[in-house]
Amino acid sequence: MRRVYLDNNATTPVLPDVFEAMKPFYLERFGNASSIHHYGQHARAAVEKARASVAALMRCRPAEVVFTSGGTEGDNAGIFGLVSKGDHVITSTIEHSAVLNTCKRLEQMGCEVTYVGVNERGEIDPEDVRKALRPNTRLISVMMANNETGVLQPVEEIGKVAREADVFFHTDAVQAAGKVPIDVEKIGCDVLSISGHKIHAPQGTGAMYIRKGTLIQPLIYGGSHERQRRAGTENLPGIVGLGKAAELATEWLSGNGPAEMAAMRDHLQQSVLAAVEAAGVNGAGAARVPNTTNLWFDYIEGEALVIALDLKGLAVSSGAACSSGAIEPSHVLLAMALPHDRARASVRISLGKQTTQEDVDFAISVIPETVGRLREISPLYHKHTTV
Ligand code: PLP
């Protein structure tokens, strides 16, 4: 059975070149980067080479890169590291749970948090961020690209708001990295987090940018690794993989890769919408990363469509979350003022660097017929067609 994976915002496969780069570091080049002997020196050199590659992807200095275990850790470290009891934090209603649940914890710890909303295209208005400022605001944390819709946020304008108010700015760039250029100076952020497994490096790897001179409390205490910003023996093969993936991403971003990927995504989107009535794009009209589209198909359940497509060999996802036994529609789509039914009728399709035109054609061939079949058995659809 043919299987096509179009859920790259959930995770990406490790690219063959990344895997090849990592292999020796599991076998003969296994040293601890803190050791002073030959093995340690080789490990250290590999970590520093990877640091330079990640720095090039984010356009910062290598010394400003700290390796982490992934996006969740970077978000937690960036937020908890800058905020204390009594501080006020501004974030948005469409953040990933790695930020939202960290902010909920801050509230339990005696901080105040303002959650800024979005318009119906899923965009945050920097003016809303400015209006939310208070004398005790310490941090603004707003994502660069949304994981469900791919909508890019005006982080440069938000960075300006943060600078003018002299508050810290953290951005979760997990879904932007490797898809659009990142320039920490242009963004004006103090802390930025990325995740390895969204850019074809292994799961459980990641990095943070921490602006030089930023006083940030570590999340993890122990040895003096990562210039005392993140303790623990470095994940050597993982870091090497992340470095290689960052190198490939930087190369890809400077070529035709992004335009070609956006063209494939747009072709998929247009072909599906041309073949299915009562359907549309969530976040249409907004600037988006090139690999993501989020589509609604009225009268069906997104979860049911994900399962039906999986049975046909196509992997996509719905933003719905299972909470206390019930399927809750995506908080991102609800924040965009989608009616509950439409939010529940949405699926996310996300391409990766391994995605081919044939993969996209396969999706174009199976989505319309599967939506049609689900609608045939949907009482909601029959009610709609008989009135
Ligand atoms: N932030 C965003 C926007 C994400 O999409 C994800 C993962 O889906 C994360 C953070 C968490 O990253 P990780 O899986 O590396 O912990």
Side-chain angles (χ1 to χ4, degrees), residues 80 100-111 115:
F80 283 132
L100 284 179
N101 286 335
T102 302
C103 287
K104 292 225 178 85
R105 177 68 187 137
L106 286 182
E107 288 180 279
Q108 291 168 352
M109 289 162 59
C111 297
Y115 300 86

Coordinates of all heavy atoms in Angstrom, one line a residue, residues 80 100-111 115:
F80 N 10.4 30.9 31.7 CA 10.7 30.8 33.1 C 12.0 31.5 33.5 O 12.2 32.1 34.6 CB 10.8 29.3 33.6 CG 9.5 28.6 33.7 CD1 9.3 27.4 33.2 CD2 8.5 29.2 34.5 CE1 8.1 26.7 33.3 CE2 7.2 28.5 34.6 CZ 7.1 27.3 34.0
L100 N 1.7 28.2 26.1 CA 0.5 28.5 26.8 C 0.5 27.8 28.2 O 0.1 28.5 29.2 CB -0.8 27.9 26.1 CG -1.2 28.8 24.9 CD1 -2.4 28.1 24.2 CD2 -1.5 30.2 25.3
N101 N 0.9 26.6 28.3 CA 0.9 25.9 29.6 C 2.0 26.4 30.5 O 1.9 26.4 31.8 CB 1.0 24.4 29.5 CG -0.4 23.8 29.0 OD1 -1.4 24.5 29.2 ND2 -0.4 22.7 28.3
T102 N 3.1 26.9 29.9 CA 4.1 27.6 30.7 C 3.6 28.9 31.3 O 3.8 29.2 32.5 CB 5.4 27.8 29.8 OG1 5.8 26.6 29.3 CG2 6.5 28.5 30.6
C103 N 2.8 29.6 30.5 CA 2.2 30.8 31.0 C 1.1 30.5 32.1 O 1.0 31.3 33.1 CB 1.6 31.6 29.9 SG 2.9 32.4 28.9
K104 N 0.4 29.4 31.9 CA -0.6 29.0 33.0 C 0.2 28.8 34.3 O -0.3 29.1 35.4 CB -1.3 27.8 32.6 CG -2.2 28.0 31.4 CD -3.6 27.4 31.6 CE -4.5 27.7 30.4 NZ -4.3 26.8 29.3
R105 N 1.3 28.1 34.2 CA 2.1 27.8 35.4 C 2.6 29.1 36.0 O 2.6 29.3 37.3 CB 3.3 26.9 35.0 CG 4.2 26.6 36.1 CD 3.6 25.7 37.2 NE 4.5 25.6 38.4 CZ 4.0 25.7 39.6 NH1 2.8 25.8 39.9 NH2 4.9 25.5 40.6
L106 N 3.0 30.1 35.2 CA 3.4 31.4 35.7 C 2.3 32.0 36.5 O 2.5 32.6 37.6 CB 3.8 32.4 34.6 CG 5.1 32.2 33.8 CD1 5.2 33.2 32.8 CD2 6.3 32.2 34.8
E107 N 1.0 31.9 36.0 CA -0.1 32.5 36.7 C -0.2 31.9 38.1 O -0.5 32.6 39.1 CB -1.4 32.3 35.9 CG -1.4 33.2 34.7 CD -2.7 33.1 33.9 OE1 -2.8 32.1 33.1 OE2 -3.6 33.9 34.0
Q108 N 0.0 30.5 38.2 CA -0.1 29.8 39.5 C 1.0 30.3 40.4 O 0.9 30.3 41.6 CB 0.0 28.3 39.3 CG -1.2 27.7 38.6 CD -0.8 26.2 38.2 OE1 0.3 25.8 38.2 NE2 -1.8 25.5 37.7
M109 N 2.1 30.8 39.8 CA 3.3 31.2 40.6 C 3.2 32.7 41.0 O 4.1 33.2 41.6 CB 4.5 30.9 39.8 CG 4.9 29.5 39.7 SD 6.1 29.2 38.4 CE 7.5 30.1 38.9
G110 N 2.1 33.3 40.7 CA 1.9 34.7 41.1 C 2.3 35.7 40.0 O 2.6 36.9 40.4
C111 N 2.3 35.3 38.8 CA 2.5 36.3 37.7 C 1.2 36.6 37.0 O 0.2 35.9 37.2 CB 3.5 35.7 36.6 SG 5.1 35.3 37.2
Y115 N -3.4 37.5 27.4 CA -3.4 36.7 26.1 C -4.0 37.5 25.0 O -5.2 37.8 25.0 CB -4.2 35.4 26.3 CG -3.6 34.5 27.4 CD1 -4.0 34.7 28.8 CD2 -2.7 33.5 27.1 CE1 -3.4 33.9 29.8 CE2 -2.1 32.7 28.1 CZ -2.5 32.9 29.5 OH -2.0 32.1 30.5

